[in-house]
Amino acid sequence: MIEGRESPPILRVAVPVPLYGGFDYLDIGDAAPTPVGSRVLVRFGRRRLVAIVIEHAHESDVAAARLRAIEAVLDDAPVLDEELLGLLRWAARYYHHPVGEALATALPVALRRTRMDQTPNRHRGWQAAANESANEPAANATRQHELLAAIRATPHPTAHSHLLARFGSVQAPLKALERRGLIEPVDLPGALEHGVAGTAPALGDDQQVAVDHLCALGDAFHPVLLEGVTGSGKTEVYFQRMARTLAAGRQVLFLAPEIGLTPQLIERLRTRFDAAIGVLHSQRSEGERADVWRAARAGDADIVIGTRSAVFTPLPRLGLIVVDEEHDGSYKQQDGFRYHARDVAMRRAQQRGVPIVLGSATPALESLHNAEQKRFAHLQLPRRATGAAMPPIRVIDIRSRPLLGGLSDPMLAHVERHLAAGNQVMIFINRRGYAPALSCHDCGWIAPCARCDAPLTLHSGGARLQCHHCGANEPAPPACPSCGSKQLVALGAGTERVAGALRSRFPDVRIARFDRDSMARKGRLESQLADVASGATQLLVGTQMLAKGHDFARLTCVGVLDVDGGLFSADFRAAEHMAQLVTQVAGRAGRGDLAGEVWLQTRNPEHPLLHRLLSDGYDGFARAALTERREAGLPPYGHLALLRAEAHDMQPPQAFLEQAAATINVDEHIACWGPVPAPMPRRAGRYRAHLLLHATRRARLHPALDHWQRVLADLPGARRVRWSIDVDPQDLL
Ligand code: ADP
Ligand code: ZN
Ligand code: ZN
């Protein structure tokens, strides 16, 4: 039955369920139709869900008599404006993800609930008191002095949450400052922080060229890749371009990876721009995130800085997008709605007609390829802003060398030499825990996870076993369950073991370990970093948590213990990630006046890609890696989508994927590779397999995926598996 034009429109809504397409409902009320982008409450099956109106339709596939009415309209004004809704609908199509789930991902959690607490949250802050007679804190009350300086840095109140993130435990020193009459608590009007205008440093020549170029490109859509070695002053270049956008009264969206969005970066923004700044990262509460989102939507935030999901912040006055560390893997969501925030940002900039700057010391191969093809302008900062030289990178061949807690003798000698000179040393190993496996010396048994095809990792000095894939956690056995031997040995090394070995070798040196286990407590990372900055800590051991953003003047030696994993992996991007990590970590050394050096332990000193990295740097590596990718037809020369399936039994994923493969008409432009078991065939008790769809042209990939989107759910094997589509997968694990 076809509805007449004069009848009220049908609301097509997106419901947060794993089903493609919209669902039709009748509007309620007799005023104007509920606007597109509004949240409405609907009955869906037996549930009541928050849905978003995505279209007004005049006819429906559902018979009019069977259409239900929505139950309530939740907002006075649409939560998603036309631009954001358009972007999200594009992203749902591009990533072949159900639109309702995609939309739900974009909304702050607090706004996804059926009932919304409309009262804005209270935001505590502090401001300097105008008290003439107040006493300054004692000279040795370091924390009080630091806090006071931060609060006095701007005439605006400073958010308590910012101080907490920057300094760790702040309760007692803040109370002390308040008792002295130096500061006073205030209620902030919202979740935004207000910065203060600061002076920009005089730019170096390369920086000036980059800024001039960026400004000359104008205010329309222009993608730019800013490639600058670590410490070359990219942030300063972004800032000067941002100043122009802000001066024109427009908003800036600044994306940073989780570990790059440091309190130092926020502090730099806060002391540079007389602007309202909204910060969106995982440490903020749901309420705070919702408040920043609302403030951005109202146009009150001038700068929004955030991690991956901030790309979906509503910004009515958007004028510029910056994506810092654009190569970072955390921009790709790894479950559910698997979007890539850099690529969505690119689309958003294009759609809005605003410039976008992607910055990195080690650009993704895709971005370098785009620059080569002249799709992106390519600006380079080949030197450090401070004039410091880049450190040489050399290898230590550890074949047939004994290792002490993962460290070779030559590595220990380098550490000793730099410590003796009064400098700082950083040891990098991308594996937390004590050792990656526990093995029986007599029969070769290796402690397995009961639910995953992976060995358990030793923790707590060897006392406990943990699975890094499913979270299993148990005491280490006293004897081998297979042969009864008590000769159990820890194989390999993780951060805990390396730190322990260094402690026994250098008992008088203060050592700090940086990994997810040791830094679990809020504020701990910041206080540990402060001890490194002050020079109290001389030796740092850590995971990639150490790779970015930190700037220590006395750090002259960096050791990398495990590059080999990146050379021989089932994942075609592993070598790229290894090269990025090595280059980033190396960038930590010799940033001050002292020259630095970097040592890599490897069993494969002749590996061609490692060789290229050492002889020609990241650019040389990237050229070699791109050649390999072209020969293999891999991204950016080929286009991939991964169909994943998993189930409690081994057979169903394979059967389902075979049925899926049979629905694709393969030709010279499109192929199905697989199905094959995933590199880790069983995880958390589920058997996993995948099928790779490969297209020589992107234009060929999407029609095939559209077809899958229509037919997969109806395949006979679909009910026995959990499946998902991953477009442009970052890894094949
Ligand atoms: P990147 O983001 O490229 O790693 P940063 O912008 O963090 O580099 O700059 C590295 C260091 O150099 C910082 O300490 C910064 O304050 C300093 N710096 C950047 N630009 C200049 C400049 N023009 N003059 C002096 N110091 C600078
Ligand atoms: Zn045994
Ligand atoms: Zn497990």
Side-chain angles (χ1 to χ4, degrees):
M1 183 200 239
I2 309 262
E3 297 277 327
R5 278 260 150 203
E6 59 284 353
S7 53
I10 292 160
L11 301 180
R12 190 152 295 154
V13 307
V15 183
V17 292
L19 296 168
Y20 291 103
F23 296 88
D24 294 348
Y25 287 83
L26 295 172
D27 208 346
I28 46 169
D30 40 22
T34 304
V36 167
S38 308
R39 298 183 317 147
V40 294
L41 199 60
V42 298
R43 270 218 172 265
F44 191 79
R46 301 157 124 220
R47 290 186 293 166
R48 186 177 276 139
L49 297 171
V50 175
I52 292 175
V53 181
I54 54 172
E55 262 173 58
H56 289 160
H58 285 280
E59 49 193 88
S60 174
D61 292 341
V62 181
R66 297 192 47 219
L67 276 179
R68 286 178 174 179
I70 58 167
E71 302 210 329
V73 180
L74 294 176
D75 307 294
D76 298 335
V79 283
L80 295 175
D81 59 29
E82 206 181 311
E83 183 242 346
L84 200 51
L85 187 61
L87 180 72
L88 282 157
R89 294 190 73 187
W90 168 83
R93 276 198 307 279
Y94 181 89
Y95 291 103
H96 293 268
H97 195 77
V99 64
E101 286 192 343
L103 263 52
T105 304
L107 285 179
V109 176
L111 292 174
R112 288 179 219 163
R113 304 233 179 80
T114 32
R115 236 173 284 215
M116 180 169 61
D117 184 6
Q118 291 284 6
T119 52
N121 299 280
R122 239 184 104 220
H123 297 276
R124 284 191 301 150
W126 297 92
Q127 68 185 19
N131 185 347
E132 300 282 303
S133 61
N135 293 323
E136 292 291 310
N140 63 355
T142 323
R143 191 44 53 90
Q144 288 185 42
H145 280 286
E146 286 170 346
L147 286 164
L148 191 57
I151 292 165
R152 282 179 173 167
T154 91
H156 309 285
T158 299
H160 186 82
S161 59
H162 175 67
L163 295 172
L164 191 65
R166 188 159 166 227
F167 296 104
S169 53
V170 290
Q171 204 63 29
L174 283 173
K175 279 282 160 233
L177 290 171
E178 189 186 359
R179 270 198 306 275
R180 284 175 186 278
L182 287 163
I183 60 169
E184 53 200 27
V186 280
D187 269 349
L188 300 182
L192 304 183
E193 300 229 27
H194 213 103
V196 61
T199 45
L203 293 181
D205 291 346
D206 296 328
Q207 286 175 312
Q208 191 63 56
V209 169
V211 170
D212 291 347
H213 197 127
L214 282 176
C215 291
L217 285 173
D219 297 317
F221 173 63
H222 279 293
V224 173
L225 175 63
L226 177 64
E227 182 180 11
V229 299
T230 49
S232 58
K234 292 184 290 298
T235 313
E236 206 44 57
V237 172
Y238 307 143
F239 279 13
Q240 303 235 352
R241 181 61 187 81
M242 286 162 65
R244 178 181 149 128
T245 304
L246 295 169
R250 302 184 66 180
Q251 292 169 304
V252 175
L253 174 62
F254 192 121
L255 300 179
E258 191 69 51
I259 48 175
L261 185 45
T262 57
Q264 285 78 3
L265 178 60
I266 294 160
E267 187 62 19
R268 266 170 97 172
L269 281 172
R270 240 168 60 88
T271 51
R272 173 61 75 79
F273 295 110
D274 174 17
I277 304 166
V279 183
L280 288 169
H281 57 64
S282 61
Q283 301 239 321
R284 303 215 78 172
S285 69
E286 285 176 19
E288 287 172 329
R289 295 179 71 92
D291 285 354
V292 170
W293 202 86
R294 284 196 200 97
R297 195 178 66 131
D300 294 339
D302 301 308
I303 302 172
V304 168
I305 178 165
T307 48
R308 182 175 61 228
S309 63
V311 73
F312 296 119
T313 311
L315 294 157
R317 295 185 285 115
L318 181 65
L320 171 70
I321 303 179
V322 175
V323 183
D324 193 20
E325 310 283 7
E326 62 88 33
H327 66 280
D328 196 276
S330 74
Y331 282 125
K332 177 90 190 255
Q333 172 127 331
Q334 297 288 14
D335 53 19
F337 178 29
R338 295 167 182 264
Y339 65 96
H340 197 301
R342 176 195 62 215
D343 299 344
V344 173
M346 186 59 62
R347 172 74 191 191
R348 188 169 190 187
Q350 184 179 33
Q351 187 181 291
R352 283 292 286 268
V354 301
I356 177 167
V357 183
L358 310 182
S360 176
T362 53
L365 296 181
E366 277 86 351
S367 300
L368 285 172
H369 181 65
N370 278 325
E372 233 165 54
Q373 302 286 306
K374 307 278 183 244
R375 282 191 284 263
F376 297 172
H378 195 180
L379 304 179
Q380 277 161 306
L381 304 175
R383 281 172 287 269
R384 283 178 162 177
T386 53
M390 289 304 278
I393 306 179
R394 285 173 290 218
V395 300
I396 300 171
D397 183 353
I398 55 168
R399 281 173 297 188
S400 73
R401 273 186 197 282
L403 299 179
L404 172 71
L407 297 148
S408 63
D409 274 343
M411 185 67 93
L412 283 165
H414 296 308
V415 173
E416 183 157 26
R417 186 160 48 81
H418 284 265
L419 291 177
N423 295 333
Q424 291 170 312
V425 177
M426 187 167 108
I427 299 292
F428 178 85
I429 176 164
N430 214 6
R431 197 187 286 130
R432 64 194 172 87
Y434 182 76
L438 176 69
S439 168
C440 170
H441 185 71
D442 290 328
C443 76
W445 171 85
I446 288 182
C449 176
R451 307 176 67 222
C452 306
D453 289 324
L456 292 166
T457 304
L458 271 173
H459 278 258
S460 313
R464 297 198 70 82
L465 289 167
Q466 270 184 32
C467 178
H468 287 186
H469 308 288
C470 73
N473 190 332
E474 57 197 61
C480 172
S482 172
C483 74
S485 162
K486 294 220 156 84
Q487 299 283 316
L488 296 180
V489 289
L491 290 186
T495 46
E496 247 189 65
R497 194 173 197 181
V498 175
L502 289 167
R503 257 183 217 112
S504 49
R505 175 73 180 252
F506 305 107
D508 303 326
V509 170
R510 182 136 152 220
I511 300 175
R513 176 162 68 91
F514 294 81
D515 58 34
R516 210 151 22 100
D517 305 313
S518 64
M519 297 298 155
R521 240 181 43 226
K522 204 169 175 170
R524 174 136 178 104
L525 177 61
E526 290 312 315
S527 68
Q528 292 276 44
L529 286 172
D531 287 346
V532 180
S534 76
T537 297
Q538 249 191 303
L539 193 42
L540 298 77
V541 176
T543 59
Q544 60 175 352
M545 204 178 246
L546 281 178
K548 299 221 170 101
H550 314 300
D551 205 348
F552 304 122
R554 293 208 73 84
L555 185 71
T556 54
C557 179
V558 170
V560 184
L561 302 191
D562 58 348
V563 290
D564 291 345
L567 299 173
F568 302 97
S569 166
D571 178 7
F572 73 92
R573 290 185 210 267
E576 178 185 356
H577 293 158
M578 179 277 294
Q580 288 165 343
L581 206 56
V582 166
T583 310
Q584 298 275 353
V585 175
R588 299 299 118 218
R591 288 179 64 111
D593 298 335
L594 305 163
E597 57 180 7
V598 179
W599 293 97
L600 310 181
Q601 285 190 173
T602 177
R603 291 196 162 82
N604 304 281
E606 275 101 41
H607 191 284
L609 286 180
L610 182 60
H611 209 77
R612 276 307 280 274
L613 179 63
L614 298 183
S615 58
D616 304 340
Y618 184 77
D619 274 332
F621 162 85
R623 272 194 303 278
L626 277 169
T627 306
E628 282 194 0
R629 295 268 186 97
R630 186 169 56 225
E631 282 159 6
L634 288 169
Y637 302 97
H639 304 279
L640 302 178
L642 196 63
L643 178 60
R644 292 189 171 86
E646 56 175 47
H648 286 292
D649 300 313
M650 200 186 301
Q651 271 315 309
Q654 194 76 17
F656 167 75
L657 294 171
E658 272 162 23
Q659 292 161 12
T663 72
I664 298 282
N665 294 321
V666 299
D667 58 30
E668 72 270 31
H669 294 299
I670 193 139
C672 280
W673 294 349
V676 291
M680 188 191 302
R682 196 172 47 113
R683 188 163 80 190
R686 289 172 167 273
Y687 290 87
R688 313 155 67 231
H690 61 230
L691 177 66
L692 194 61
L693 196 59
H694 175 272
T696 53
R697 295 201 206 108
R698 187 172 289 289
R700 292 300 305 272
L701 188 64
H702 287 274
L705 292 171
D706 285 338
H707 159 77
W708 264 359
Q709 185 172 318
R710 284 192 302 274
V711 304
L712 287 182
D714 297 325
L715 291 178
R719 283 157 177 244
R720 301 188 55 208
V721 300
R722 202 195 265 173
W723 59 269
S724 63
I725 295 174
D726 187 354
V727 179
D728 305 334
Q730 278 303 106
D731 60 54
L732 308 182
L733 307 177

